[in-house]
Amino acid sequence: MKRIYIAIMALTGILLSGCNKENPADKVETILMYVSSETGNYQPWGSETSFECMLVKEEGESEFHPLPYGDIEGFEYQQGHEYELKVQKTTLANPPADASNIAYKLLEIISDIPKADPRPQELPEEAKFKLQMAQLLPFMNLDTQFPAPFDYLLFRITDNNDDYSFPSQPEYLKYYDLIEMSSPGLPDTFTVYKDEGTSSSFTSQWGSYFWEITDFPLFLKGYKDGELIYEYSITQVMRQRDFIGIDWKNGAIAISNPTTNCIFNILDKRYEFLLTDTQIVNDTPYVKIMLRISASLSDADYLKGQESGLKWLLNKYLGNKTSSSASSFKTLPEGAEIVETYENNTTRAALVHKPEDEMNEERFYVIAEAK
């Protein structure tokens, strides 16, 4: 009887093993998916009718492709909005005969940006303009197409056919007395064109740094007699590296004659930073960051402004305050007086107070180094 039992168990194992080979498991992965503000059409298999649908692409894909409404579980698409989503993608090992072999489930909406429709439509084509990001200059001379905070971005205004005019003034300017660049989440605007009757000013190309970590919209709006008559928008892609625009592993290092870079944001003038080139001390890359403030402030307000602005920077880009001491750092100057420390997986940073001495005035600054 015992031998019969063992034989049955062995046969059962073989059968189960065969079943596992015939029924492989579904493949489940987490991906980034981009959803266009525009829609497309798809024709279900066996149908003679086309239906409106979303246009999507996964990270790494170059072109959008159709996806029916409702095919991302938990996601409700709003036409005219551009999305970046974190999605669970399940590739079914044994899909139904009349359905797709891929199922999507929403995990997180990373960004949801409404796209502005140029208006009014009755404007002639020659009156319309576009906004383009013309050049990216990464802080550490990195070879990348994705900007990060503290990278320099160069913009230009073109006509509706993407033609750029300089130094002559383009035809579309005659329809406006003011053209401004703005973003819904930022407090300031940048004047591209202004006609004051007796004189006018026009900037066809301009640059800025930004503080944003995630994608955000940029608008170019044209006004006439105080009324908005046309606008054009783009979505500015942004990514954070190890810390702001710094990539400790792949970025350029200043071997000699490091420079100090003035970092400004034309749409958020609250802060202006001074950032040194990346240097190395004790085999550790580091940067020094200071806050640039009007010298007309009183000494107390000057120091208070420095401290609060640098705390804002560290909290925004690192966020995790720590209790590290000076001994945890490899690049701090001797005798540095640490106020606060922050860190993430790749970077540690210290807000430092420097008392006045014979060579320097009292001030606050940040030392950030690779971990």
Side-chain angles (χ1 to χ4, degrees):
M1 180 64 69
K2 185 175 181 180
R3 292 179 181 176
I4 295 174
Y5 174 77
I6 292 173
I8 292 173
M9 292 300 294
L11 179 60
T12 302
I14 293 172
L15 291 173
L16 288 175
S17 175
C19 289
N20 288 337
K21 290 180 180 180
E22 293 176 1
N23 297 281
D26 296 340
K27 179 183 177 182
V28 181
E29 55 188 321
T30 298
I31 63 168
L32 289 179
M33 176 175 283
Y34 304 94
V35 185
S36 173
S37 60
E38 300 178 358
T39 58
N41 290 284
Y42 81 104
Q43 186 171 342
W45 184 85
S47 173
E48 297 181 357
T49 305
S50 294
F51 298 90
E52 188 178 35
C53 66
M54 300 181 290
L55 293 175
V56 305
K57 65 178 180 179
E58 298 180 15
E59 185 177 26
E61 293 181 340
S62 59
E63 296 184 358
F64 286 94
H65 56 82
L67 186 69
Y69 296 131
D71 268 24
I72 304 175
E73 181 184 345
F75 174 62
E76 184 175 347
Y77 175 72
Q78 185 174 347
Q79 190 169 338
H81 286 230
E82 187 174 83
Y83 299 89
E84 181 178 358
L85 309 176
K86 182 185 290 186
V87 173
Q88 177 181 288
K89 177 183 177 181
T90 302
T91 304
L92 302 173
N94 294 299
D98 58 347
S100 171
N101 69 326
I102 296 176
Y104 298 104
K105 181 179 180 180
L106 177 67
L107 299 177
E108 179 186 352
I109 298 178
I110 297 174
S111 64
D112 174 2
I113 300 174
K115 300 288 287 185
D117 293 326
R119 66 178 192 268
Q121 293 299 323
E122 62 268 18
L123 278 176
E125 289 299 306
E126 66 180 27
K128 299 177 182 179
F129 51 73
K130 292 182 178 180
L131 173 65
Q132 295 181 351
M133 199 270 277
Q135 189 176 11
L136 162 64
L137 298 174
F139 166 64
M140 298 181 74
N141 299 319
L142 292 162
D143 182 15
T144 178
Q145 59 180 329
F146 297 110
F150 287 39
D151 287 349
Y152 186 74
L153 279 62
L154 188 67
F155 296 91
R156 61 175 49 165
I157 183 173
T158 71
D159 66 17
N160 202 43
N161 296 316
D162 300 317
D163 290 330
Y164 170 65
S165 298
F166 181 82
S168 60
Q169 292 200 348
E171 184 74 12
Y172 54 78
L173 291 183
K174 70 181 183 181
Y175 292 89
Y176 309 96
D177 52 33
L178 178 66
I179 299 176
E180 289 183 330
M181 179 180 177
S182 63
S183 181
L186 301 178
D188 299 304
T189 60
F190 176 76
T191 300
V192 174
Y193 172 70
K194 190 171 185 179
D195 182 2
E196 298 180 300
T198 57
S199 63
S200 65
S201 60
F202 174 53
T203 303
S204 62
Q205 188 166 269
W206 62 96
S208 182
Y209 306 83
F210 292 97
W211 317 141
E212 309 311 303
I213 299 172
T214 58
D215 301 352
F216 66 101
L218 285 171
F219 289 85
L220 210 54
K221 298 184 178 184
Y223 298 85
K224 184 68 174 180
D225 298 326
E227 180 184 355
L228 175 65
I229 62 172
Y230 185 76
E231 65 182 45
Y232 185 85
S233 73
I234 62 173
T235 298
Q236 183 56 60
V237 174
M238 295 294 284
R239 297 292 183 269
Q240 186 179 7
R241 303 190 186 114
D242 290 329
F243 172 58
I244 53 178
I246 297 169
D247 184 325
W248 298 119
K249 182 179 180 181
N250 301 306
I253 305 292
I255 305 301
S256 60
N257 302 319
T259 60
T260 299
N261 309 274
C262 181
I263 309 297
F264 59 89
N265 185 341
I266 59 175
L267 300 184
D268 187 350
K269 299 175 183 176
R270 294 174 298 169
Y271 302 112
E272 198 168 301
F273 296 97
L274 298 173
L275 173 65
T276 65
D277 287 340
T278 309
Q279 303 165 68
I280 287 186
V281 167
N282 297 324
D283 297 322
T284 304
Y286 80 98
V287 295
K288 180 178 180 180
I289 307 173
M290 295 168 284
L291 189 71
R292 187 174 181 177
I293 296 182
S294 172
S296 63
L297 295 175
S298 67
D299 290 345
D301 289 340
Y302 181 78
L303 289 171
K304 184 178 180 181
Q306 281 189 340
E307 183 179 13
S308 63
L310 291 170
K311 284 182 177 179
W312 173 87
L313 173 79
L314 293 171
N315 185 68
K316 181 176 179 67
Y317 296 112
L318 293 178
N320 298 318
K321 193 183 297 186
T322 66
S323 56
S324 300
S325 62
S327 62
S328 301
F329 290 80
K330 299 179 181 179
T331 64
L332 284 180
E334 186 176 351
E337 180 184 320
I338 292 180
V339 179
E340 290 180 351
T341 59
Y342 296 75
E343 68 176 48
N344 61 16
N345 292 334
T346 63
T347 305
R348 63 171 62 91
L351 174 60
V352 175
H353 174 243
K354 177 71 173 177
E356 183 179 4
D357 57 31
E358 294 180 356
M359 300 296 294
N360 299 289
E361 62 183 8
E362 182 182 10
R363 62 183 172 181
F364 291 88
Y365 60 90
V366 167
I367 294 291
E369 67 179 32
K371 291 177 68 173

